[in-house]
Amino acid sequence: MAKVEIDEGSGFCFGVVTAIRKAEEELAKGGTLYCLGDIVHNSREVERLKAMGLITVNHEEFRRLHDTKVLLRAHGEPPETYQTAKRNNIEIIDATCPVVLRLQKKIKQEYTLESNEEKQIVIYGKNGHAEVLGLVGQTTGKAIVIEKLEEARLLDFSKSIRLYSQTTKSLDEFQKIVAYIKEHISPEVTFEYYDTICRQVANRIPNIRKFASSHDLIFFVSGKKSSNGKILFNECRKVNPNSHLIDSAQEIDNRLLAGAESIGICGATSTPKWLMEEISEAIKSRI
Ligand code: SF4
């Protein structure tokens, strides 16, 4: 019978663990608790918390709330969200990850710093991603977001640049962007960069590569919206082309199981352990 193994190093990072713990603690007290956006990029975990009473709202719905409690997830929020909460008498349960909070403060400090230099604050990240919106919000919308190296070519190299990264982006691509800017920036201006990539993701790469290469078949469990999920899944695929991204046991194609002698299950920082265990049990029952 094929061996099925769950990767010990996969599962929630401390930022997500804290956000979920805070939600559970608040829900246990009773009363209504809203969450601004999905608490984690994993629909099954969102459903589990919904069954416990957590109500997910989007920003438009949030602006219409009054006199209630709202949890802010690990990704963080722009200052505008806190202003709305104050205006509408909303108690904020702030589960912004400390790593994101530090990055927000750093960007805000740079933005508000008195200086004669004309600077471009650049964030390497995904346009529209909740964390990036929170970061751009620290600069009243002035920061420039670049998603990949090609977009760095559009920067104005005659003006100073301060470069930051969304916490879950690829370290490799960040370093390429740094090298490109260094090569093209005018000697008359300054370039400073801050590697603000969270090691909860980057440090998992060597481990996940080792895990993926030690199995015939890999099921990578992650919500399709998770950016760290995409990075870690790509790493699995690089070392093991027989790697498949799934969100639930229903997505497993039984034909893949035939002939595999060792099957590995791993996931993102937003993947609950219980879900990987559920998938492991489903696989065992089918082989
Ligand atoms: S990946 Fe890092 S920054 Fe993002 S929530 Fe987890 S610990 Fe925080």
Side-chain angles (χ1 to χ4, degrees), residues 93-129:
I93 310 295
D94 201 341
T96 305
C97 175
V99 179
V100 177
L101 216 51
R102 259 199 311 274
L103 174 56
Q104 287 186 345
K105 281 193 185 139
K106 227 175 177 156
I107 292 178
K108 187 172 182 173
Q109 236 168 26
E110 181 65 56
Y111 180 65
T112 49
L113 195 74
E114 294 277 332
S115 150
N116 298 328
E117 256 183 306
E118 211 185 328
K119 281 176 296 191
Q120 297 167 92
I121 294 184
V122 180
I123 296 163
Y124 163 48
K126 187 164 175 11
N127 258 307
H129 186 284

Side-chain angles (χ1 to χ4, degrees), residues 62-257:
F62 169 72
R63 281 190 284 273
R64 290 199 295 265
L65 296 177
H66 288 265
D67 315 311
T68 189
K69 253 188 220 175
V70 177
L71 182 126
L72 304 183
R73 58 193 172 171
H75 288 323
E77 283 292 320
E80 192 199 343
T81 299
Y82 294 86
Q83 287 151 15
T84 307
K86 206 168 169 195
R87 227 177 15 250
N88 293 0
N89 194 32
I90 293 171
E91 183 188 338
I92 291 287
I93 310 295
D94 201 341
T96 305
C97 175
V99 179
V100 177
L101 216 51
R102 259 199 311 274
L103 174 56
Q104 287 186 345
K105 281 193 185 139
K106 227 175 177 156
I107 292 178
K108 187 172 182 173
Q109 236 168 26
E110 181 65 56
Y111 180 65
T112 49
L113 195 74
E114 294 277 332
S115 150
N116 298 328
E117 256 183 306
E118 211 185 328
K119 281 176 296 191
Q120 297 167 92
I121 294 184
V122 180
I123 296 163
Y124 163 48
K126 187 164 175 11
N127 258 307
H129 186 284
E131 181 190 320
V132 174
L133 294 176
L135 300 178
V136 173
Q138 307 304 318
T139 65
T140 57
K142 298 273 170 34
I144 303 166
V145 179
I146 56 169
E147 296 201 355
K148 44 185 185 275
L149 176 63
E150 289 78 75
E151 292 175 18
R153 303 199 168 109
L154 307 173
L155 297 172
D156 182 348
F157 293 105
S158 67
K159 287 185 193 143
S160 291
I161 295 177
R162 301 290 178 267
L163 175 70
Y164 301 84
S165 173
Q166 180 184 343
T167 55
T168 47
K169 292 301 277 183
S170 137
L171 192 53
D172 260 13
E173 185 88 354
F174 180 75
Q175 281 160 349
K176 283 182 194 151
I177 293 171
V178 168
Y180 184 85
I181 298 176
K182 273 186 179 168
E183 200 183 315
H184 292 84
I185 192 116
S186 155
E188 314 294 316
V189 296
T190 59
F191 169 44
E192 285 170 22
Y193 59 94
Y194 305 92
D195 166 6
T196 50
I197 292 166
C198 175
R199 293 320 193 241
Q200 285 280 321
V201 182
N203 286 353
R204 286 186 184 197
I205 292 175
N207 168 66
I208 213 149
R209 287 173 71 107
K210 196 165 155 218
F211 180 81
S213 58
S214 64
H215 293 282
D216 300 338
L217 171 63
I218 289 290
F219 288 110
F220 187 89
V221 188
S222 170
K224 310 285 189 291
K225 282 192 274 178
S226 163
S227 43
N228 79 82
K230 277 180 208 140
I231 292 175
L232 294 171
F233 175 57
N234 277 336
E235 293 299 324
C236 289
R237 264 225 299 234
K238 277 186 205 160
V239 294
N240 186 343
N242 199 14
S243 298
H244 305 269
L245 178 66
I246 57 166
D247 199 2
S248 66
Q250 281 77 41
E251 289 182 33
I252 296 174
D253 181 345
N254 282 344
R255 286 169 299 183
L256 292 170
L257 303 177

